[in-house]
Amino acid sequence: MPKFALQLQAQFTNVTSLLPGDGDYTLMVKTKCTSCHEVHPKLIGITPSDEKELQKGRDTANLVMKCNFCKKEASAKFDEPTSKAPLYRPIEANEDSGAEFQTLCVLEFRGLEPVEFVPQGTWTCKGLSSGTVFDAVEFDDGKEWMDYDEKAGDEVSIMELESRWQRA
Ligand SMILES: [Zn+2]
């Protein structure tokens, strides 16, 4: 079954380790039906703790839906987390080579394909040298966040946030 990795990249200034604020963070995605190729008109939320039963078989998934157009059943499921690869993996600053796509999470999609990700909600990151925890990071326009690190006496920011879905 096709797996897709959600990858993020950004320009980090004095911060690193970008992660969703909640371990049960709901991914807001745009999806496309793999049967009729219609893009679903609304953003769809996929939540790790959601367990939905598939119509056929005994499998469960984190998202089960029907295409509005061709009525085919589609589902999405997060990869089982392991100690080496937790469900959400931090996106680290890369000072040497600048912005670089890193995997945030991996999901298996059946009957649909992800085409877009919208970074809604609250995220966290850490001061690069100070270790200050910023736990109210929000990307208002989907791309930028700025704050001030009192401990380090420095401005901190995450700019040019971009995402992509890669076949995994
Ligand atoms: Zn369809």
Side-chain angles (χ1 to χ4, degrees), residues 32-81:
K32 186 172 90 173
C33 175
T34 50
S35 299
C36 68
H37 302 289
E38 285 289 339
V39 172
H40 198 274
K42 287 184 191 155
L43 284 176
I44 294 164
I46 311 173
T47 307
S49 66
D50 276 357
E51 243 188 60
K52 309 259 167 72
E53 282 190 18
L54 297 170
Q55 260 179 5
K56 284 177 194 167
R58 262 171 272 165
D59 275 355
T60 61
N62 302 112
L63 168 81
V64 177
M65 60 179 278
K66 264 196 187 137
C67 174
N68 286 348
F69 301 95
C70 72
K71 310 293 175 202
K72 276 244 167 90
E73 188 182 58
S75 65
K77 191 176 187 173
F78 282 88
D79 248 12
E80 267 326 304

Side-chain angles (χ1 to χ4, degrees), residues 7 29 75 82 138 164:
Q7 300 186 325
V29 301
S75 65
T82 64
E138 284 180 28
R164 70 176 184 193

Side-chain angles (χ1 to χ4, degrees), residues 12-163:
F12 292 89
T13 304
N14 298 323
V15 285
T16 189
S17 297
L18 177 65
L19 261 181
D22 183 354
D24 197 34
Y25 177 76
T26 298
L27 282 188
M28 297 305 291
V29 301
K30 255 203 169 146
T31 61
K32 186 172 90 173
C33 175
T34 50
S35 299
C36 68
H37 302 289
E38 285 289 339
V39 172
H40 198 274
K42 287 184 191 155
L43 284 176
I44 294 164
I46 311 173
T47 307
S49 66
D50 276 357
E51 243 188 60
K52 309 259 167 72
E53 282 190 18
L54 297 170
Q55 260 179 5
K56 284 177 194 167
R58 262 171 272 165
D59 275 355
T60 61
N62 302 112
L63 168 81
V64 177
M65 60 179 278
K66 264 196 187 137
C67 174
N68 286 348
F69 301 95
C70 72
K71 310 293 175 202
K72 276 244 167 90
E73 188 182 58
S75 65
K77 191 176 187 173
F78 282 88
D79 248 12
E80 267 326 304
T82 64
S83 53
K84 270 192 190 153
L87 201 129
Y88 285 118
R89 304 161 205 177
I91 308 298
E92 306 291 356
N94 189 334
E95 283 180 289
D96 300 330
S97 53
E100 176 186 48
F101 277 109
Q102 296 167 47
T103 296
L104 178 74
C105 58
V106 178
L107 292 91
E108 182 183 290
F109 287 89
R110 296 184 197 197
L112 51 78
E113 256 180 33
V115 292
E116 207 184 310
F117 165 66
V118 179
Q120 291 186 353
T122 307
W123 296 66
T124 67
C125 66
K126 277 195 304 216
L128 198 56
S129 54
S130 65
T132 304
V133 175
F134 298 93
D135 59 4
V137 176
E138 284 180 28
F139 299 101
D140 293 329
D141 59 353
K143 276 186 175 304
E144 293 179 2
W145 166 81
M146 273 175 277
D147 206 335
Y148 187 78
D149 187 339
E150 300 278 350
K151 200 168 154 195
D154 258 331
E155 285 181 9
V156 293
S157 67
I158 299 173
M159 309 294 273
E160 295 171 43
L161 181 69
E162 285 179 47
S163 61

